[in-house]
Each structure stands twice: as structure tokens, then as C-alpha cells.
Amino acid sequence: MKWNKFKNYNKNKSIFNRHTILLSWLISYIIVLLIPFAGNLIVNARVHHIIEEDIFASNKMRLEILRDKVDVFFHESERIASEMMGDDGIARLSQANSADNFTRYDAISIGNMFQRHIFSASHQISGYLYFPKMDMILSNNSLIDSKTF
């Protein structure tokens, strides 16, 4: 009877040891593999979030700079246009019916004034004035007809 009890004890102990081994293997597997993997996922998610924020901030800053440059460009264009609209030479030239010598002289002087206004701008601006009665186009350096243009 003594041996019988010992056999049962040994049998129960081996089952218990088997569960202990499986349990310890599972715990070590979790510690060795899953915890670093989870930590890596958390770090990668945080890095991705930080990079995304930096890209967003950089793009926002670039768009603000571009918006400011475009605003300055349009403001200068508007300033040049309003200065040119108040000029008496342009009003006289727009009322002229033909491009005779006196009108061409006025157009060249207006073109020189136009060029000075353009050079005073911080950005390179090119513009054209069209006079429909004469069918002529005035740029900052020439006066040509619309067919040649």
C-alpha cells in the first residue's frame, strides 16, 4: 500500500510540474516577446504622431509664408494699378483714336513711368495696358499693336 500511495503522489506531482512548466513558459514568453513588442508598438505610434505633428506644423508655416508673399504681391499690383489709373497720360491715351507720333511719344513716357512703378515693387511684376480704340498694347518697355502681340 505504501507503493501505491507513492505512485499516486508521483503522478499528481508530474501533472502539477507539467502545469508549472507550461505556466512558467507562458510567463517567460510574454515577458520576452510580447512586452517588448507592445513597447515597440507604443513607441512607434508616438514617433508617428510626433512626425505627423511636425509635418503639419511645417506645412502650415510654409503656407503662411506663401500666403504672405502672395498678399504682398497682390497689394503691390493693386497699388501700381491704382497709381496708374489716376494718371492723366493714361486717360489721354485711352481717349486717343489713332496712334500718331504725339500719341506714341505719350505712350513711351507712360511706359517709362510704368517701368518705374514696376521697379519700385519688391517682386518682379509685368503688366500690360490695352487701349481698344487704338488697338495697341503698352508694356513697361514697348508699344505694339494687338496683332503683333
Side-chain angles (χ1 to χ4, degrees):
M1 188 146 246
K2 283 184 173 182
W3 289 105
N4 209 7
K5 285 182 180 179
F6 183 69
K7 275 185 171 176
N8 287 341
Y9 175 75
N10 231 358
K11 196 184 244 184
N12 289 338
K13 188 170 183 174
S14 68
I15 292 172
F16 182 70
N17 281 341
R18 199 177 303 159
H19 284 296
T20 306
I21 290 172
L22 287 176
L23 186 63
S24 63
W25 177 82
L26 184 63
I27 290 171
S28 66
Y29 182 78
I30 289 172
I31 290 172
V32 170
L33 295 175
L34 294 181
I35 290 177
F37 183 72
N40 191 14
L41 284 178
I42 292 169
V43 168
N44 282 340
R46 182 66 184 146
V47 167
H48 177 73
H49 182 68
I50 289 171
I51 289 173
E52 203 171 61
E53 284 177 350
D54 286 348
I55 289 171
F56 178 75
S58 174
N59 287 344
K60 185 178 178 183
M61 182 66 71
R62 286 179 185 238
L63 285 174
E64 287 175 2
I65 291 170
L66 183 64
R67 184 192 65 207
D68 291 342
K69 285 182 179 181
V70 169
D71 285 346
V72 167
F73 176 77
F74 282 131
H75 179 69
E76 287 180 354
S77 298
E78 186 178 332
R79 179 186 57 84
I80 290 171
S82 64
E83 288 175 4
M84 297 292 288
M85 283 176 35
D87 189 58
D88 293 334
I90 293 177
R92 259 193 335 245
L93 198 58
S94 66
Q95 297 302 321
N97 290 327
S98 65
D100 58 359
N101 289 336
F102 181 71
T103 309
R104 286 190 181 273
Y105 177 75
D106 284 344
I108 297 301
S109 66
I110 292 169
N112 289 337
M113 181 196 56
F114 192 34
Q115 190 171 13
R116 281 192 301 272
H117 284 297
I118 288 175
F119 283 146
S120 70
S122 63
H123 300 287
Q124 186 174 357
I125 300 173
S126 61
Y128 301 96
L129 297 172
Y130 177 65
F131 301 102
K133 288 184 181 179
M134 296 186 312
D135 194 31
M136 298 296 271
I137 297 171
L138 175 68
S139 70
N140 58 348
N141 59 3
S142 65
L143 177 69
I144 54 175
D145 61 344
S146 63
K147 292 176 183 152
T148 307
F149 184 71

